[in-house]
Amino acid sequence: MKALVYHGPGERGWDTVDDPTIIDPTDAIVRIDTSTICGSDLHILKGDVPETLPGTILGHEAVGTVMEVGAAVSTIAPGDRVLLSCVSACGRCRYCKEARYGQCLGGGGWIFGHTINGLQAELARVPFADNSTYKFPENLGDEQVLFLADILPTAFEVGVLNGTITPGDVVAIIGAGPVGLSAVLTAQLYTPGRIVSIDLADSRLESALVFGADITINNGREDPVALIMEMTDGLGVDVALEAVGVPQTFELAADLIRPGGRVANIGVHGHSATLHLEKLWTRDVTITTGLVDTFSIPQLMRLIVSGRLDPSRFATHRYPLDDTMGAYDTFADAANTGALKVVLEGSERHSSETQSAGALAVH
Ligand code: NAD
Ligand code: ZN
């Protein structure tokens, strides 16, 4: 089969590799019908993720069709269409029993395209298949569910739920990439009073307005602290979500919240940030961190089925799976291409009328 293989920092190829086979009785083999690329894949390609070894197939978001199941798999069967989550779950360890699959101790967690072969390929081996795949209604197109693999549950669980957004809250969301925009989308499930989106890129802020933000601030030329204090009678926001992953934006989130407010950090950080306890210790603040668990996939799926959540507008570009190399070029140059999510289309993917109606470019 063909797959997108990481060959060490800066090097990738669309290579011919061996077809995957069942290794453990809990495995399934899934044909990838629709996949996509994540910012983390770019981090791996830069060499920032040393545990990903050269030779690994990248990708951790996909929709596919079950081709074969191991002897111990009982809830899916050949022919079933399934969503594959970025997080796998052994289902047996202490954390899996608390639905904290991201922390799985039994060999799960974020493994696809990280520590085992991933999903930008024609076929994939899916470990712990009963616990790590999600069937969905036949009438949904692949693109309607694809973004449940990572960005939507990440923003919802690590941002919206950890930040305990409640009706009427003023919410600042720093970063308007796919994760920040997913936070803009899912924060609205809790009817905040106002959503303020903060980013350095005007094109991303335009997208934030399309996804439902009320106010945008470009912190490259405007002062978000001054503007937000003015907007909130000098108090600050109820909830600040950090969806970038650099020290400045974590520190900005802490500067923006009111006494009693909440900072929910989503961004992946590679450097230390300063926690100004000398300013915060009297202010009754809550700061949370988290790795996505994807426990919310079934809940978010029901919202998509009922039409209350439509993530298909994240799909700004489409490429045949065979041209994954070109898709990476487009995604890596998001500043010029305006890419939010680039969809990789296998030759047998399943689309629907709803999908083609919903999947309009944001711009
Ligand atoms: P992205 O790189 O596509 O988007 C980041 C956005 O931040 C961009 O729009 C960029 O213009 C903006 N930005 C950069 N520097 C900024 C600054 N100083 N101030 C304001 N905006 C700034 O990333 P993404 O895919 O949307 O992911 C966001 C973060 O979430 C990343 O750090 C990613 O690794 C992380 N993430 C975390 C989890 C988790 O489980 N916690 C899961 C997935 C992704
Ligand atoms: Zn586990």
Side-chain angles (χ1 to χ4, degrees):
M1 69 159 183
K2 290 284 200 175
L4 194 287
V5 181
Y6 169 63
H7 290 296
E11 304 287 333
R12 57 174 151 88
W14 182 245
D15 296 355
T16 301
V17 298
D18 289 342
D19 284 3
T21 52
I22 302 265
I23 297 174
D24 295 314
T26 46
D27 290 349
I29 302 298
V30 173
R31 182 190 73 214
I32 303 301
D33 298 328
T34 304
S35 186
T36 182
I37 309 170
C38 174
S40 314
D41 302 326
L42 301 182
H43 276 299
I44 293 171
L45 275 167
K46 272 190 216 143
D48 292 347
V49 187
E51 62 270 25
T52 302
L53 302 176
T56 304
I57 297 170
L58 297 185
H60 53 264
E61 302 159 276
V63 174
T65 303
V66 178
M67 305 304 282
E68 190 186 345
V69 295
V73 175
S74 59
T75 60
I76 57 170
D80 286 347
R81 286 168 72 217
V82 289
L83 169 74
L84 302 175
S85 160
C86 65
V87 166
S88 304
C90 82
R92 296 188 300 256
C93 73
R94 167 183 173 177
Y95 287 113
C96 281
K97 288 188 171 165
E98 294 174 4
R100 295 170 68 163
Y101 312 122
Q103 309 292 335
C104 176
L105 297 169
W110 174 34
I111 53 174
F112 281 137
H114 181 206
T115 55
I116 68 167
N117 281 335
L119 309 178
Q120 290 157 7
E122 290 175 336
L123 294 165
R125 169 183 163 252
V126 178
F128 313 117
D130 277 330
N131 304 319
S132 311
T133 61
Y134 299 81
K135 285 196 269 193
F136 55 91
E138 191 52 37
N139 63 334
L140 293 184
D142 288 4
E143 277 178 24
Q144 285 176 284
V145 296
L146 177 64
F147 306 118
L148 289 175
D150 182 347
I151 57 172
L152 283 164
T154 293
F156 184 60
E157 296 170 13
V158 188
V160 173
L161 295 181
N162 278 358
T164 56
I165 294 176
T166 44
D169 278 354
V170 179
V171 178
I173 300 175
I174 308 169
V179 171
L181 294 173
S182 295
V184 170
L185 203 58
T186 55
Q188 291 166 72
L189 297 169
Y190 288 89
T191 324
R194 274 180 184 183
I195 297 176
V196 185
S197 172
I198 303 172
D199 201 291
L200 295 171
D202 287 329
S203 61
R204 288 283 165 95
L205 292 172
E206 282 165 32
S207 298
L209 290 173
V210 174
F211 279 79
D214 302 291
I215 298 159
T216 60
I217 298 174
N218 183 319
N219 60 326
R221 52 168 195 270
E222 297 173 296
D223 177 355
V225 177
L227 287 170
I228 280 181
M229 291 306 154
E230 199 182 303
M231 197 184 297
T232 56
D233 299 326
L235 277 180
V237 300
D238 300 283
V239 183
L241 307 184
E242 195 284 345
V244 182
V246 297
Q248 304 87 291
T249 47
F250 174 78
E251 291 164 22
L252 173 61
D255 283 342
L256 290 179
I257 50 168
R258 65 165 172 82
R262 281 99 57 200
V263 170
N265 180 79
I266 311 172
V268 172
H269 291 264
H271 299 281
S272 32
T274 305
L275 180 66
H276 286 286
L277 265 184
E278 76 282 9
K279 284 197 253 169
L280 292 171
W281 74 273
T282 53
R283 291 171 65 87
D284 298 10
V285 301
T286 304
I287 298 174
T288 59
T289 68
L291 175 68
V292 64
D293 295 307
T294 68
F295 68 79
S296 65
I297 286 176
Q299 182 182 18
L300 296 171
M301 185 86 80
R302 289 195 295 276
L303 287 163
I304 291 173
V305 170
S306 65
R308 290 227 184 261
L309 192 65
D310 177 16
S312 50
R313 69 179 83 139
F314 279 107
T316 53
H317 296 73
R318 293 178 185 76
Y319 280 83
L321 190 59
D322 258 344
D323 192 12
T324 299
M325 293 293 276
Y328 263 83
D329 293 337
T330 295
F331 184 69
D333 191 22
N336 293 314
T337 60
L340 290 177
K341 289 298 265 186
V342 176
V343 175
L344 304 168
E345 306 178 326
S347 49
E348 304 197 51
R349 78 198 279 267
H350 183 108
S351 56
S352 75
E353 280 174 31
T354 340
Q355 175 175 305
S356 45
L360 299 169
V362 170
H363 298 289

